[in-house]
Amino acid sequence: MSQKIEDFDANLAGEEGKTEETKSSWFKRIKKGINTKTSEKKETPEGLWAKCPQCNYICTMTELREHLFVCPKDGYHHRIGSEEYYDIIFDDGQYAELFGDIRSKDFLGFTDLKPYHKRLEDIWSKTDLKDSMRVAVGKVNGQDLVIACMDFEFIGGSLGSVMGEKFARAVTYCIEHRFPYMVISKSGGARMMESAFSLMQLAKTSGSLSLLSDAKLPYISLLTDPTFGGISASFGMLGDLNIAEPGALIGFAGPRVIKETIKKDLPAGFQRSEFLLEHGFLDFIVPRPELKEKLSTVLSLFKN
Amino acid sequence: MPSNANRQFLDFEKPIKDLIEEIEITKARQDKHHLDLGEQINILEQKILDKRTELTSQLSSWQRVQLSRHPDRPYTMKYIQKMTTQFVELFGDRNVKDDKAMVGGFANLDGETVMIIGQQKGINTKMRQLRNFGMANPEGYRKALRLMKLAEKFNKPIITLIDTPGAFPGLEAEERGQGEAIARNIYEMMRLTVPVICVIIGEGASGGALGIGVGDRVFMMENSWYTVISPENCSTILWRSWAQKEIAAEQLKLTGDKMLGFGLIDGIIPEPAGGAHWDYDESARILKEHLVPVIRQLREIPAQERITQRIEKFSKMGFWDEVPA
């Protein structure tokens, strides 16, 4: 099943899904199924060793963690979750989570290969995450900041009603406390299992941003690998500052879909952060080790 | 409107096709043998009408999707032509180019100037290519926004007619910021000081539809659909095969009655029996009849209050549980 979830995530991210059947079988699997629990094979590489998917450099987890999950050799930014981002950005890793009680609900009774409610229950039983976005308030070099961060691990970081509602409440919270707002995006796009409700979250979140804008509070949108679909077609691209991590894949349509549509190979670096910066859609690219300091500078510039 | 001889039929419209052929044969016989078969023809015509009514009363979600894409279905320009007078089409986004998949301009609707904007599909193979099958590029969305801002400046209400299988997923579209263009439109439409009415007249697929779909009132025509992804693409991603599109259509609950039930739209606009493609005049008349009073109603509300209501309307959309940890 975890294979299926991974394939599904890969698909959301527009990557080619590789199924067991397509691999040549020199060795036969004796036992059926893969029994590794998702909790044991998170997005964040766990265990003692980590391998860079780009340069194959192998280092210890401790070393990778010290480098904020950036490959010490070629600077590849490993995908990390909200917990890691909060650790990196907030002073002493101290923060308070907000609106953690809101959970997804299978309102439509949506069933594809698996009922949506079953999909949700499976993930809840395997991770501590309640949904694909967590909201937290904390300090960055002493300055207040509310951060809403996505977890790709939870149905591909997909945008559903819960993300929309958390986003809206986070904005209300910011307006009440006069705090700036930051969103860290990492998502395949809208959550299809919530059908048109997920689409309407694009409008709902944009409406919230309109209120934040009237309150003259800064909104920073940090795009990380990968950010697609509904996110880039709404709040992802609406930041007072749109910034990104190096090498992140960011776009509206997934590369696979574009390739099928235009029937041509895509140029190297297409839809990477550097490509977006070049075409004028990002204010700057910031490597993870410099993220906190740069953010702190920006926040103080807005304030003073 | 196509004459009966030029009509195209979907598979489930076959009974109607048979009846039309029967009429043609009867008419030919009448002429050949100098008979008066008027009575018989009238009966057949009534049968066709009954069949049309019957068909649309029992459509599956997928069939509704098929009807929304009917090759004879009226598109945006047809509605503009039939509903308004003095239409002045305006082109270009003042930046890159004119997107032929998105049309718009000022027009006179029942004595009042309105800005009317929508995706446009082509009526034949050549035009379909020119119109890019109703799939706009970023410049299309920026053109739409430019026209909306123009309407706002001169305090004219805005009507958008939505009919798209999605925003175009192309290389240049990404280079020019398809995501940003749609995001900007959604954001700006939320803040427009003039009344905005959106109508899904055919296909309402995802961000490409919502990019001109944020309004004080959102309506769906009877045989249209509106959701986050086309049933085919949903099937490909979730079922890993194109073949489950009927099931996907059912699961997505993308028809007007469902959408109205969820509170995601404000009303359904009826179509002539059998679908809008049977009678363009009547389709346009019904749409106009619905639009005119709504514009007057919205005009009564002060601008700032209208914006607040618009934001609140979309804020209410969603479902979740609150489970204290």
Side-chain angles (χ1 to χ4, degrees):
Chain A
M1 199 59 244
S2 42
Q3 178 68 41
K4 258 183 193 158
I5 290 172
E6 275 178 15
D7 279 355
F8 174 72
D9 289 350
N11 218 322
L12 275 178
E15 292 160 7
E16 293 293 342
K18 286 195 196 99
T19 55
E20 277 301 317
E21 294 82 52
T22 59
K23 291 177 189 162
S24 61
S25 50
W26 282 17
F27 302 100
K28 272 205 174 134
R29 190 182 293 280
I30 302 167
K31 279 185 184 173
K32 262 197 167 176
I34 300 161
N35 297 316
T36 321
K37 283 183 187 158
T38 311
S39 59
E40 290 162 18
K41 42 177 284 190
K42 282 184 183 169
E43 279 292 317
T44 320
E46 294 284 336
L48 287 174
W49 299 93
K51 187 174 160 187
C52 172
Q54 206 165 267
C55 71
N56 293 332
Y57 176 77
I58 294 174
C59 66
T60 63
M61 270 311 292
T62 324
E63 191 186 352
L64 190 64
R65 201 174 275 276
E66 275 166 9
H67 285 85
L68 310 179
F69 302 95
V70 175
C71 172
K73 198 175 163 212
D74 75 340
Y76 172 81
H77 283 53
H78 284 259
R79 287 182 186 176
I80 53 174
S82 55
E83 195 62 46
E84 288 78 18
Y85 276 110
Y86 292 157
D87 263 354
I88 292 168
I89 297 171
F90 287 128
D91 297 348
D92 308 317
Q94 294 291 306
Y95 64 89
E97 186 170 349
L98 302 170
F99 325 118
D101 297 344
I102 311 173
R103 287 187 188 211
S104 290
K105 182 176 168 182
D106 184 9
F107 180 76
L108 301 173
F110 192 98
T111 303
D112 47 272
L113 294 174
K114 190 175 176 185
Y116 178 36
H117 69 86
K118 189 85 189 19
R119 213 181 267 282
L120 289 169
E121 282 156 18
D122 281 359
I123 300 170
W124 287 328
S125 71
K126 284 171 189 162
T127 75
D128 294 333
L129 299 169
K130 299 289 182 291
D131 213 86
S132 51
M133 180 186 262
R134 285 170 73 216
V135 180
V137 58
K139 289 190 187 291
V140 183
N141 290 347
Q143 306 173 91
D144 296 302
L145 180 65
V146 173
I147 303 179
C149 183
M150 292 173 203
D151 283 290
F152 196 75
E153 204 184 329
F154 199 101
I155 322 189
S158 51
L159 166 61
S161 301
V162 170
M163 193 188 285
E165 181 62 15
K166 281 191 175 181
F167 188 104
R169 289 195 199 183
V171 167
T172 310
Y173 184 92
C174 286
I175 294 172
E176 274 170 12
H177 294 81
R178 306 278 320 151
F179 288 169
Y181 185 40
M182 173 171 174
V183 173
I184 303 175
S185 296
K186 187 187 287 293
S187 166
R191 189 174 293 174
M192 277 167 283
M193 296 77 118
E194 293 190 12
S195 193
F197 282 96
S198 69
L199 178 64
M200 296 310 159
Q201 304 312 309
L202 277 67
K204 177 169 172 168
T205 51
S206 302
S208 286
L209 285 181
S210 173
L211 301 175
L212 190 71
S213 177
D214 290 341
K216 304 282 175 218
L217 293 165
Y219 164 51
I220 298 165
S221 170
L222 171 63
L223 310 170
T224 72
D225 186 57
T227 298
F228 277 92
I231 307 293
S232 75
S234 63
F235 57 83
M237 281 292 170
L238 291 173
D240 293 312
L241 297 183
N242 293 335
I243 63 179
E245 286 188 339
L249 208 52
I250 302 158
F252 175 68
R256 194 168 44 87
V257 177
I258 298 171
K259 209 175 148 183
E260 277 167 19
T261 307
I262 63 168
K263 307 210 162 44
K264 265 189 267 178
D265 282 333
L266 301 171
F270 181 65
Q271 292 184 319
R272 296 280 170 194
S273 310
E274 296 72 19
F275 172 95
L276 267 84
L277 183 83
E278 218 37 60
H279 284 90
F281 292 98
L282 293 178
D283 287 279
F284 56 82
I285 294 172
V286 56
R288 205 174 283 159
E290 295 160 30
L291 176 60
K292 181 170 178 165
E293 284 314 309
K294 191 105 182 204
L295 198 58
S296 166
T297 306
V298 162
L299 289 176
S300 67
L301 286 171
F302 272 118
K303 207 160 52 185
N304 298 329
Chain B
M1 198 157 37
S3 65
N4 276 345
N6 294 328
R7 278 189 184 284
Q8 305 183 65
F9 297 90
L10 300 171
D11 52 354
F12 59 87
E13 288 182 311
K14 178 135 193 323
I16 303 177
K17 187 186 181 196
D18 293 344
L19 286 168
I20 286 177
E21 277 167 7
E22 211 177 319
I23 288 188
E24 296 306 319
I25 293 165
T26 314
K27 276 182 181 164
R29 205 154 49 115
Q30 175 175 266
D31 294 346
K32 195 177 170 192
H33 303 288
H34 307 287
L35 300 166
D36 180 13
L37 299 174
E39 181 84 355
Q40 219 172 320
I41 291 167
N42 283 344
I43 291 171
L44 282 170
E45 269 167 358
Q46 186 57 45
K47 264 193 183 171
I48 290 176
L49 196 61
D50 292 346
K51 201 76 210 169
R52 275 164 50 187
T53 313
E54 188 194 319
L55 267 182
T56 31
S57 66
Q58 51 183 29
L59 289 176
S60 71
S61 298
W62 174 246
Q63 286 172 326
R64 197 78 72 182
V65 172
Q66 286 179 294
L67 263 194
S68 79
R69 299 170 177 165
H70 198 291
D72 293 337
R73 197 167 169 83
Y75 301 137
T76 295
M77 279 298 207
K78 187 59 73 183
Y79 283 108
I80 294 177
Q81 180 198 332
K82 300 267 180 198
M83 288 196 304
T84 70
T85 56
Q86 299 175 302
F87 175 60
V88 177
E89 187 173 358
L90 305 170
F91 298 89
D93 70 339
R94 295 283 196 275
N95 187 19
V96 175
K97 61 159 80 147
D98 181 58
D99 191 335
K100 306 291 180 211
M102 186 77 77
V103 297
F106 281 123
N108 181 326
L109 181 79
D110 201 46
E112 188 182 9
T113 303
V114 297
M115 175 59 79
I116 186 157
I117 298 166
Q119 286 104 350
Q120 178 66 28
K121 292 179 176 174
I123 50 168
N124 54 40
T125 311
K126 202 180 155 196
M127 290 304 285
R128 272 188 273 276
Q129 277 178 347
L130 181 81
R131 299 292 188 187
N132 201 23
F133 305 89
M135 294 185 284
N137 273 286
E139 49 273 24
Y141 291 98
R142 291 180 183 132
K143 170 184 178 179
L145 184 59
R146 179 177 81 81
L147 299 187
M148 289 190 264
K149 286 293 191 183
L150 184 64
E152 182 180 48
K153 179 174 173 183
F154 295 99
N155 197 24
K156 306 299 177 202
I158 297 165
I159 296 164
T160 68
L161 302 180
I162 296 162
D163 189 9
T164 182
F168 187 60
L171 195 115
E172 289 85 3
E174 295 291 323
E175 284 178 350
R176 295 197 284 267
Q178 188 70 287
E180 196 276 344
I182 294 172
R184 185 69 46 204
N185 276 25
I186 296 173
Y187 178 83
E188 291 294 341
M189 286 185 87
M190 206 55 102
R191 300 164 68 89
L192 286 168
T193 55
V194 292
V196 186
I197 304 170
C198 309
V199 187
I200 322 288
I201 57 166
E203 299 189 84
S206 198
L210 194 65
I212 55 164
V214 177
D216 301 300
R217 297 286 183 276
V218 179
F219 299 109
M220 281 174 75
M221 300 278 289
E222 191 184 331
N223 298 305
S224 67
W225 62 273
Y226 190 15
T227 192
V228 70
I229 189 167
S230 74
E232 290 94 330
N233 288 338
C234 180
S235 168
T236 311
I237 296 174
L238 293 183
W239 281 268
R240 321 212 129 216
S241 131
W242 188 263
Q244 307 296 318
K245 53 191 189 293
E246 283 97 341
I247 299 173
E250 217 56 63
Q251 291 288 318
L252 285 167
K253 301 189 166 58
L254 42 62
T255 51
D257 52 339
K258 295 280 182 351
M259 290 289 284
L260 185 62
F262 297 149
L264 299 182
I265 58 162
D266 302 290
I268 299 170
I269 295 168
E271 291 179 24
H277 58 289
W278 286 100
D279 194 337
Y280 294 171
D281 291 322
E282 182 63 3
S283 303
R285 192 194 60 76
I286 301 171
L287 179 55
K288 184 175 174 177
E289 190 183 272
H290 276 77
L291 290 176
V292 170
V294 176
I295 295 173
R296 306 250 150 91
Q297 238 175 45
L298 291 171
R299 273 240 187 260
E300 299 296 308
I301 308 169
Q304 210 45 54
E305 197 181 320
R306 208 165 40 221
I307 294 172
T308 307
Q309 285 178 10
R310 199 183 295 152
I311 293 175
E312 275 172 6
K313 179 174 99 143
F314 284 97
S315 296
K316 288 200 188 91
M317 296 176 182
F319 50 85
W320 58 84
D321 280 329
E322 295 215 43
V323 189

